[in-house]
Amino acid sequence: MGALASIGTLLVGLCALTVVALLLRAMPRVSFVLWGIVLFFVPVWIGANAGTFWAAITVVTILAIVACGGSVRLSPVDGIVAAFVLLVVVEFALRAMSLSAMVIAVAEWVVPYVWGRLVLARLQARFVTRSIAILTTLAAVLALVEFAVGVNVFVLLPAQGPSFEVWGTLQGRGGFVRVEGAFGHSIALGASLAMGAAFVVAVQWRSWVKVMALGLIAGATVLTFSRIGLTTLLLAVALSVLTLPLISRATRIAVAAAGIVAAAIVVPFLGVVFLDAGEEAGGSASYRSGLLDLLPLIQPLGAAPNLDGAVIGGQYLGFYAGSVDNALLVVALRAGWVPAILLVAAIVAAIVPLFRRGGATPANIAVAAQIPSLFTVAFITQYGMFFWFLVGLAVASELARHAAGDEAVTAGPLGLDARGQVRRANDAHISAVRIQ
């Protein structure tokens, strides 16, 4: 009876999800906003058990793919990601990779990438940019409130998933409790705010509104007391101001001036905090540099040997078994050098258009700005899903730009109607960065 009850519950749940997916397909904007709300404001330990634990963000991402999926033009990057999926599935079948590692690779990296690739099939880039900018700003405001009142409401939510034990504990630095919002870790929040900042610069808001929003984001990032969060925020804003097309001179000057003033205020404060943190901050940096000792353990294909009790050259490496704060190294340890190189190739391909004239978009800027974080933090909580969604969105935006250019060449001599069609096709790229 217990088994029958479980099967019945599963069937009811699948039927309910099917109905929800059909409803969301008729409302693609609602689908994206719902996904964004869950990404920014629902911790990974909130979800449901159905054979295994399904985090809410994973379920909503799959629903969004079903709801907003459409025909898309394929890219070589899609082939790289497909090859990665094939390798990890084969490795799991050959027992060279664990089930949990394969599920994480597919559900937390590949599925968000697919969602990013599909989102522009039914939504304008302008709407996507505006939504991410608003959600990022709201997340920053909640982080500031969290610091002011000294309470993180998200850790008070029911601990439904096993990951609560890992991510439900708040951290301190220099006598302060670091803010982390719904992201379960201060570094994940800081890096995610940094990615969202590129969309704030790109969105069609007045210059003073952008400066205010960036100020809120910068303030929240400071209160994460995350050096990588601050570094990637600076990179994202600088790259946005320098490379996004059609940014007004007033916006560039206002953002630059506000950044200088903010730095004059923030740098002395952070210097005191990190000085008070003393050995804790220094030990964190030393730990990350020591991760290079794990390189000899990595296999070309398949997972590295268990780190528990691992010793190389007389040096004990078992203390890295619980955590490896290096995203690319984690991929290599779990799946091998070859799959890791494939993911690196996908990331590089997504950001290459940034260095071409007119090729900058908020998505590829956000991904490019996160390069330093890939060597200092793993793809933890929602941060990893947000990152891979933006990789997919960067690829989709570049394809839309090429499609608009091809149509412009074909339709050039056809007159006003053809040019109007070109403008509509070009909207997927230009609307993400057009500034009033």
Side-chain angles (χ1 to χ4, degrees):
M1 291 296 293
L4 291 176
S6 299
I7 294 174
T9 302
L10 179 60
L11 290 176
V12 171
L14 290 175
C15 291
L17 289 175
T18 301
V19 172
V20 171
L22 292 174
L23 290 174
L24 291 178
R25 187 164 182 82
M27 301 178 290
R29 290 192 172 199
V30 173
S31 301
F32 185 80
V33 172
L34 174 63
W35 174 81
I37 290 173
V38 174
L39 176 75
F40 280 91
F41 306 113
V42 178
V44 292
W45 58 81
I46 302 298
N49 283 294
T52 185
F53 181 78
W54 294 83
I57 181 59
T58 301
V59 175
V60 174
T61 303
I62 294 172
L63 285 175
I65 290 173
V66 174
C68 294
S71 60
V72 294
R73 179 180 176 184
L74 294 179
S75 161
V77 185
D78 300 329
I80 295 173
V81 175
F84 170 80
V85 174
L86 178 62
L87 279 180
V88 297
V89 171
V90 170
E91 288 180 11
F92 170 69
L94 297 176
R95 299 185 179 180
M97 184 179 189
S98 69
L99 174 61
S100 62
M102 185 197 70
V103 170
I104 289 173
V106 174
E108 298 184 13
W109 308 342
V110 176
V111 168
Y113 169 83
V114 173
W115 171 222
R117 285 287 287 111
L118 294 176
V119 68
L120 295 184
R122 300 196 65 200
L123 292 172
Q124 288 187 341
R126 179 184 303 177
F127 177 81
V128 173
T129 299
R130 183 171 64 249
S131 299
I132 294 177
I134 292 172
L135 291 168
T136 303
T137 305
L138 290 176
V141 171
L142 284 181
L144 293 172
V145 172
E146 175 187 338
F147 184 81
V149 302
V151 176
N152 184 310
V153 297
F154 299 103
V155 300
L156 303 179
L157 297 174
Q160 299 182 20
S163 59
F164 179 79
E165 296 182 2
V166 178
W167 307 116
T169 303
L170 300 178
Q171 307 160 300
R173 173 161 285 178
F176 294 97
V177 177
R178 304 167 70 176
V179 299
E180 57 185 49
F183 284 79
H185 199 287
S186 55
I187 297 177
L189 173 62
S192 297
L193 291 176
M195 290 189 288
F199 291 82
V200 173
V201 179
V203 74
Q204 295 185 45
W205 292 344
R206 295 186 183 276
S207 297
W208 67 269
V209 178
K210 293 184 184 183
V211 170
M212 288 186 63
L214 289 172
L216 294 170
I217 293 169
T221 306
V222 167
L223 297 178
T224 64
F225 300 107
S226 165
R227 288 163 293 193
I228 197 62
L230 291 166
T231 300
T232 55
L233 174 63
L234 177 62
L235 285 173
V237 174
L239 286 172
S240 298
V241 170
L242 292 173
T243 64
L244 280 175
L246 305 180
I247 295 287
S248 69
R249 179 178 297 180
T251 296
R252 299 181 198 275
I253 294 174
V255 172
I260 293 172
V261 173
I265 298 172
V266 168
V267 170
F269 169 68
L270 289 177
V272 172
V273 172
F274 287 120
L275 182 62
D276 290 342
E279 295 183 359
E280 185 272 330
S284 176
S286 176
Y287 158 84
R288 287 184 171 88
S289 64
L291 289 172
L292 298 177
D293 295 329
L294 298 176
L295 293 178
L297 294 174
I298 301 175
Q299 309 294 319
L301 290 170
N306 194 331
L307 295 181
D308 290 319
V311 177
I312 294 182
Q315 183 175 359
Y316 176 66
L317 302 176
F319 47 77
Y320 291 119
S323 174
V324 175
D325 292 344
N326 184 311
L328 301 180
L329 184 57
V330 168
V331 175
L333 288 170
R334 290 178 178 174
W337 275 118
V338 176
I341 290 173
L342 288 174
L343 286 192
V344 170
I347 294 170
V348 171
I351 65 176
V352 162
L354 172 62
F355 305 101
R356 298 172 183 159
R357 184 177 178 84
T361 66
N364 59 31
I365 288 172
V367 173
Q370 285 301 306
I371 296 301
S373 72
L374 301 183
F375 299 94
T376 56
V377 62
F379 292 128
I380 57 176
T381 68
Q382 301 100 297
Y383 161 67
M385 302 191 77
F386 192 21
F387 176 85
W388 283 107
F389 165 78
L390 292 180
V391 172
L393 181 60
V395 175
S397 299
E398 177 63 10
L399 289 175
R401 187 174 75 91
H402 276 293
D406 293 344
E407 188 170 349
V409 172
T410 303
L414 299 183
L416 291 176
D417 290 342
R419 286 196 294 272
Q421 292 175 1
V422 171
R423 283 195 294 271
R424 287 192 294 273
N426 201 33
D427 178 71
H429 170 68
I430 294 298
S431 63
V433 295
R434 182 180 290 126
I435 307 301
Q436 290 181 342

